Amino acid sequence: MGKSSTTKDAQALFQSLRSAYTATPTNLKIIDLYIVFAVVTAVIQVVYMALVGSFPFNSFLSGVLSCVGTAVLAVSLRIQVNKENKEFKDLPPERAFADFVLCNLVLHLVIMNFLG
Amino acid sequence: MARKLGFLVVAAFLVLASICESAIFNPVSESHRSAALELFSPADGSFGSLEETYEALRTFEVLGIEKKPDVKPSACASVVDTLRSTSSSLKDLFHALRVNGILKCELKDEAFGGIESRLKDSLNSANSLLDFYYTIGGLKRIKDQTSEVDVNLGDADKVFRSIKALSQSDGRWRFSSNNPESSNAAAGIALEALAGVISLASPEIDHSLLATLKSDIGKLFDGIERYDDGACYFDEKLVDASGHQGPLSASASVTRGITAFAAVTSESLNLPGEKILGLAKFFLGIGLPGSAKDLYYQIDALACLENIRQVSTVFFLSRNLLLGSIPLILSLPATVLSVTKKDQLKVQVSSVLGSSAPPLSVKLMQIFTSGSKDASIIDQKLKFDPDNSVHVLETLPTNVDVGKYIFSFEIIFDDPEHKKNYATGGRTKVPIHVTGVIKINNAEIAILDSDIGSVEAQKKLDLPGDNAAALSANHLQKLRMSFGLTTPFGHAFKPHQAFLKLRHESGVEHIFVVGNTGKKFEIILDFLGLVEKFFYLSGKYDIQLTVGDSVMENSFLQPLGHIELDLPDAPEKAARPPPQLVDPYSRYGPKAEINHIFRAPDKRPPRELSLAFSGLVLLPLLGFLAGLLHLRANLKNFPKSTAPATFAVLFHLGIAAVLVLYALFWFKLDLFTTLKALGLLGIFLMFVGHKTLSHLASTSSKLKSA
């Protein structure tokens, strides 16, 4: 009884979450997809390291940090672009995107230097 | 080996020490000939420039080398080229004519004619000494080589005066009138040039001019420098552009000059024979020069000295008495004589180039014992051996024992007239080493009781020879070693070195000088006084005796056996024996090889696994693209009108360019290059980015407001 209700509750929760997410604007969904892509890539690299060892450690670090950094920057972009977020109401999304591009370029310059 | 080495060092030192006061000069010999062939070796059948060719040919000619390299075809071709060309310099013409003088290339007389007029023209415009030298030298060579062309100088007095104008009050010359520095080499060149003028003058030169020149030569010789061993030379401080100036070239130049002058003048030069001999000694004292140029200077100058009279005999038969002084060199094939082998003292007298001297006899006048001022007067005539042309002293004087001496010889001419023609330099002092086998007698080693002095153990030694004395002693006893040395003539002999060495098993060595008491060499080691010096080390000591001298043919260094020492135990404060030095041979031997340790390379995963993961990281990208399709993402917002679209495309291309630059940075560029390029790209990107994004912003705000 309790178990089925928990499952049901969970199902209901997911249902509501999914219905709520459907309302999210497409551009935010794209950013989310991008974040997932970056994080999964990072996870694959971590799995690889767990399997064979961390030998060129700087290469591993730069690979993972590149993904994580991109994800973090994308999260920041998402926060700034989100229209629901009143804090960045005055900031045009183009300006946020410009920041995103600039930060990515700087981040990857460092990553490339560290790649070895 | 060590024995021989020590002996050699001593001998070399003594020879060096004695050479300072008296020295031997050997005439030019076979070694000069082989050196000449080695130094003057033609490359591709020629010697390079005509000057070098002349120097090589002249050296070979003087040394009488038959087997010289055949350079005639190439040298003659070069001579003809130079003589025909209208642009060749005076110097080249001069050298070409000199080479032709030796090689006698086939030249037509017209060739000389053209050159003769050219040389005479340049003689009128010449103002530096070298110009005069080359022109007059060239004209003189033409005169020697052909009789067809008239090279006589009508205005010889004028030319003579203009050369003479460059002379200095001290007998030296200047190279040109605007060069104030005077030089001995220039004096030699000037004399040679003036000699040429005299021989070319068709009315004879004014005699008063010759008289002043003669006094100049006298002054020049007053400025000669002198070494302790009697060698004389002309110093040269002036460094000209050719750079090859030194005492050797200056002395050679002066020698050539005075010889040339002596050959043409009828004035008496009265050059002091002792200075001529000194010059000869200077040239011979150089030995074998290291460079071809030096060898030419040496050989050419010696040839001039040797022919100083012959030349004058040919032209002015009556003058040879006035000029005089061909240097004669007294040399000894061997200056080390062994009395044991009954070596005979041999003396050779020859000219500087090694040709035989006129009939003469050599007298041994005095013998100086090295290291003392005493001289015994001998006055003994040496017997002449005509087969080998050496003078032999058959038996050494009775008072000559083994040792170092300086023999003083004098040359007496059979014909007293020759005394004026040859310079012998009075008495010649030569260092002589008389060596012999030294007899060693009464050699014994003994252990004495300290208080009474009674002999405890005694062993006769056979020296030099194998000895294996086995002795033992304690600290209350003494060791006594004694021997006597006598020369083959029975006199007591005192060697330069006499050492006794005790060497402990641990390698600690003690060296004692064996003193001599008149006839006997004796050393007494009182072990009671030596315990401290021996560091209280008991045990086996090897005994070694060294007796050596440069005149002792049987110098030796050999073990005598060993002694067992029983010394008291060391007190607390006694000095420790010094650590033994490592073997000197191993110190300079090869060091142990250095093995470099490198970090072992880390383990790499299998290739397939790495490639599989490379593919795997692309999967999320595919997922991302699939998700985009699923979300129906599109490019509808991309600007449509031309200008904004261009900016948008440029913006994306700019980002792609930066990423490509990063990839290049990873593969090959360095940080500085990358940053420079990045700066430029960044400015571009800022511009187009701003254009694109502001366009997008304006579009979206229009939409909002609408």
Side-chain angles (χ1 to χ4, degrees), chain B residues 637-656:
Chain B
N637 223 6
F638 203 81
K640 302 283 184 313
S641 52
T642 333
T646 319
F647 281 123
V649 168
L650 283 179
F651 179 53
H652 285 95
L653 283 180
I655 292 177

Side-chain angles (χ1 to χ4, degrees), chain B residues 37 80 108 164 195 278 320 334 382 419 531 596 615:
Chain B
L37 284 173
V80 171
K108 298 207 177 80
K164 183 71 182 66
N320 55 14
L382 274 63
K419 200 165 183 184
V531 280
H596 295 275

Side-chain angles (χ1 to χ4, degrees), chain B residues 43 47 161 187 228 283 299 301 510 526 528 549 581 592 630 672 692:
Chain B
F47 287 108
R161 276 180 223 276
D228 289 346
F283 291 122
I299 298 298
H510 305 281
D526 184 355
L528 191 58
D549 196 288
L581 285 175
H630 177 71
F672 295 103
T692 313

Side-chain angles (χ1 to χ4, degrees), chain B residues 417-430:
Chain B
E417 273 295 296
H418 281 140
K419 200 165 183 184
K420 295 167 192 164
N421 299 346
Y422 292 93
T424 58
R427 294 193 179 179
T428 311
K429 288 183 178 175
V430 180

Side-chain angles (χ1 to χ4, degrees), chain B residues 285-584:
Chain B
I286 290 165
L288 287 180
S291 80
K293 197 107 183 158
D294 287 349
L295 182 67
Y296 161 70
Y297 284 141
Q298 182 193 33
I299 298 298
D300 188 39
L302 287 174
C304 288
L305 288 177
E306 170 136 337
N307 296 331
I308 202 164
R309 186 196 49 158
Q310 269 98 323
V311 177
S312 55
T313 316
V314 174
F315 292 105
F316 301 94
L317 204 61
S318 57
R319 305 294 171 240
N320 55 14
L321 300 185
L322 303 168
L323 194 68
S325 41
I326 293 183
L328 285 182
I329 298 294
L330 182 143
S331 64
L332 277 77
T335 57
V336 178
L337 306 172
S338 167
V339 290
T340 316
K341 290 185 206 142
K342 301 204 170 5
D343 286 345
Q344 287 176 325
L345 179 72
K346 290 174 185 167
V347 177
Q348 281 176 332
V349 178
S350 64
S351 71
V352 285
L353 290 177
S355 54
S356 53
L360 51 77
S361 57
V362 176
K363 266 187 174 176
L364 173 60
M365 301 304 287
Q366 273 177 306
I367 296 178
F368 300 89
T369 311
S370 187
S372 72
K373 292 253 186 278
D374 305 339
S376 45
I377 295 159
I378 306 291
D379 203 357
Q380 187 178 352
K381 197 169 166 183
L382 274 63
K383 196 181 160 201
F384 185 61
D385 173 6
D387 295 339
N388 302 318
S389 66
V390 289
H391 301 263
V392 183
L393 184 66
E394 281 168 321
T395 49
L396 284 171
T398 46
N399 57 347
V400 171
D401 203 341
V402 292
K404 298 173 280 287
Y405 300 93
I406 292 170
F407 282 29
S408 167
F409 297 99
E410 197 168 301
I411 294 172
I412 314 277
F413 291 102
D414 292 355
D415 178 1
E417 273 295 296
H418 281 140
K419 200 165 183 184
K420 295 167 192 164
N421 299 346
Y422 292 93
T424 58
R427 294 193 179 179
T428 311
K429 288 183 178 175
V430 180
I432 300 280
H433 284 69
V434 181
T435 66
V437 174
I438 303 296
K439 275 192 254 129
I440 301 149
N441 42 36
N442 301 329
E444 60 168 36
I445 188 163
I447 300 294
L448 310 177
D449 273 335
S450 186
D451 39 358
I452 328 163
S454 63
V455 175
E456 175 100 358
Q458 189 171 19
K459 186 167 166 38
K460 290 261 173 208
L461 295 173
D462 174 25
L463 286 175
D466 290 335
N467 293 287
L471 304 165
S472 64
N474 60 32
H475 65 283
L476 296 174
Q477 291 174 316
K478 291 175 181 172
L479 173 83
R480 186 184 70 195
M481 223 275 307
S482 61
F483 56 90
L485 297 175
T486 51
T487 65
F489 295 100
H491 300 110
F493 179 71
K494 194 176 172 224
H496 192 250
Q497 302 172 341
F499 300 125
L500 183 72
K501 186 158 97 175
L502 291 185
R503 184 188 160 92
H504 188 251
E505 294 158 308
S506 65
V508 184
E509 288 182 345
H510 305 281
I511 296 173
F512 304 93
V513 178
V514 184
N516 77 328
T517 54
K519 277 196 139 184
K520 196 168 149 199
F521 283 80
E522 188 177 57
I523 183 168
I524 296 178
L525 299 180
D526 184 355
F527 293 121
L528 191 58
L530 289 170
V531 280
E532 203 153 322
K533 196 183 171 195
F534 279 20
F535 305 111
Y536 297 92
L537 283 173
S538 297
K540 192 173 150 190
Y541 282 82
D542 289 326
I543 310 170
Q544 196 182 51
L545 180 67
T546 309
V547 178
D549 196 288
S550 62
V551 294
M552 179 172 170
E553 286 174 19
N554 54 340
S555 300
F556 62 87
L557 178 158
Q558 59 184 176
L560 298 181
H562 67 267
I563 179 169
E564 283 281 342
L565 275 186
D566 181 19
L567 301 180
D569 289 338
E572 287 282 308
K573 288 175 187 165
R576 289 299 186 107
Q580 286 309 297
L581 285 175
V582 280
D583 181 16

Side-chain angles (χ1 to χ4, degrees), chain A residues 33 48 52 55 105 109 115-116, chain B residues 604 609-610 613 624 627 662 666:
Chain A
L33 190 61
Y48 175 77
V52 298
F55 161 51
L105 291 181
L109 177 67
L115 196 58
Chain B
R604 297 283 183 116
L609 184 66
S610 298
F613 267 87
F624 175 62
Y662 284 174
W666 181 29

